Amino acid sequence: MYQLVWRKSSFSTGANNDCVEIAPAPGGLIRLRESDDPTRVITTTPATWSAFLVSVKARPWVAPTALITV
């Protein structure tokens, strides 16, 4: 069985266990989770993850329309 190796984001320094963690997964996929609820895992592709990081680094960041709720 494959064991995920989680890495904490270097920007996650809170004492309240509020950390974003990432792990490479089989098939070239990427898994993401928030450390305060490790049972909720998001799976994405490297291309999608890269596009997300590019958009976040291009400040000011604007949430994609699909993420905006009224």
Side-chain angles (χ1 to χ4, degrees):
M1 181 177 194
Y2 186 84
Q3 182 74 9
L4 294 175
V5 178
W6 294 97
R7 291 185 357 214
K8 184 172 80 167
S9 167
S10 61
F11 289 97
S12 298
T13 58
N16 297 327
N17 204 26
D18 53 351
C19 305
V20 175
E21 297 174 321
I22 186 170
L29 297 173
I30 296 171
R31 302 255 167 94
L32 302 155
R33 71 181 182 185
E34 189 172 343
S35 60
D36 66 344
D37 187 2
T39 62
R40 300 179 92 180
V41 177
I42 297 171
T43 301
T44 190
T45 64
T48 302
W49 179 242
S50 293
F52 172 76
L53 292 178
V54 167
S55 71
V56 169
K57 291 176 183 179
R59 294 184 181 128
W61 187 72
V62 177
T65 307
L67 297 179
I68 298 174
T69 59
V70 179

